[in-house]
Amino acid sequence: MLNKELYEKTCVKAYEYLVKAGIAVTEEERKNMEVAEYGLNDLDNIGLELIVYINTMRCCAKELILFPGQTCPEHRHPSIAGELGKEETFRCRWGKVFLYVQGAPAKQPKAAAPKGRENCFTVWHEIELNPGDQYTLEPSTLHWFQAGPDGAVVSEFSTRSRDEFDIYTDPDINPALNRKA
Ligand code: ZN
């Protein structure tokens, strides 16, 4: 689990990326930054930092910060009680991100699955997002993403977010731990 010291250190570092990206946030938003480490204790490789701007019954907007090479593990957003799963649009604001979705796999992917967890990354259709590029994911489709060598800041626009229902390919991931410390 993330301890307070690591959480605070990580938030300070993540905030520097927002500054580099020229993205202004309030003191309150900065204080409420979340660090997702998925209960894996491997934050340098698997995890992300985020600020939730809004999450209502109908829409959600977040800023995601990924350190160099940091990976958001493969998952999907299923339908819940007849309600279609989350539709997500990722827009790169700063740095570079490699997004992987279902479809024809890249012959030479630019990202690598985190060591020891290669089996938990099964979709390899590659979409490279540079600043100003965006991509929309249909509900319930598998996806994962990894920052390039400088890290990345990515805006996420979506329908309602209910992280606790997300389904991860990695059986070691507990979505309930996808929270700040
Ligand atoms: Zn997602």
Side-chain angles (χ1 to χ4, degrees):
M1 272 298 280
L2 202 61
N3 62 38
K4 195 165 184 288
E5 192 190 341
L6 178 60
Y7 166 72
E8 282 170 2
K9 214 174 90 183
T10 304
C11 289
V12 168
K13 193 166 133 189
Y15 181 69
E16 289 168 10
Y17 283 78
L18 291 179
V19 172
K20 281 195 272 196
I23 292 173
V25 297
T26 65
E27 194 54 43
E28 189 68 15
E29 286 165 340
R30 185 178 170 177
K31 252 182 11 211
N32 290 327
M33 188 183 289
E34 298 182 25
V35 175
E37 63 93 55
Y38 307 97
L40 296 179
N41 285 316
D42 189 18
L43 191 59
D44 287 343
N45 295 306
I46 306 177
L48 61 90
E49 296 63 42
L50 64 149
I51 286 178
V52 179
Y53 294 133
I54 188 165
N55 186 22
T56 69
M57 294 288 280
R58 301 173 69 192
C59 72
C60 177
K62 300 176 182 178
E63 212 69 71
L64 313 176
I65 300 118
L66 293 117
F67 301 140
Q70 211 179 22
T71 301
C72 173
E74 186 177 286
H75 65 282
R76 64 187 185 89
H77 307 284
S79 300
I80 305 156
E83 186 189 324
L84 211 55
K86 186 185 179 205
E87 180 196 279
E88 283 179 334
T89 296
F90 295 117
R91 184 180 178 94
C92 182
R93 299 295 194 179
W94 185 91
K96 187 191 283 290
V97 68
F98 301 109
L99 172 66
Y100 294 89
V101 299
Q102 289 164 263
K107 287 200 175 72
Q108 288 184 303
K110 291 179 181 140
K115 282 199 177 60
R117 297 194 179 271
E118 290 86 351
N119 294 343
C120 306
F121 294 82
T122 67
V123 297
W124 286 94
H125 184 70
E126 183 174 85
I127 294 136
E128 181 178 325
L129 298 175
N130 290 293
D133 294 336
Q134 66 180 40
Y135 186 85
T136 300
L137 286 156
E138 292 301 315
S140 222
T141 57
L142 282 168
H143 56 284
W144 63 280
F145 48 95
Q146 185 175 87
D150 297 328
V153 178
V154 176
S155 295
E156 178 189 318
F157 314 103
S158 75
T159 53
R160 180 186 188 187
S161 178
R162 294 201 273 178
D163 296 344
E164 66 277 22
F165 293 107
D166 294 347
I167 296 172
Y168 286 86
T169 305
D170 189 334
D172 291 341
I173 291 181
N174 178 352
L177 296 177
N178 179 9
R179 296 274 155 197
K180 74 171 185 179

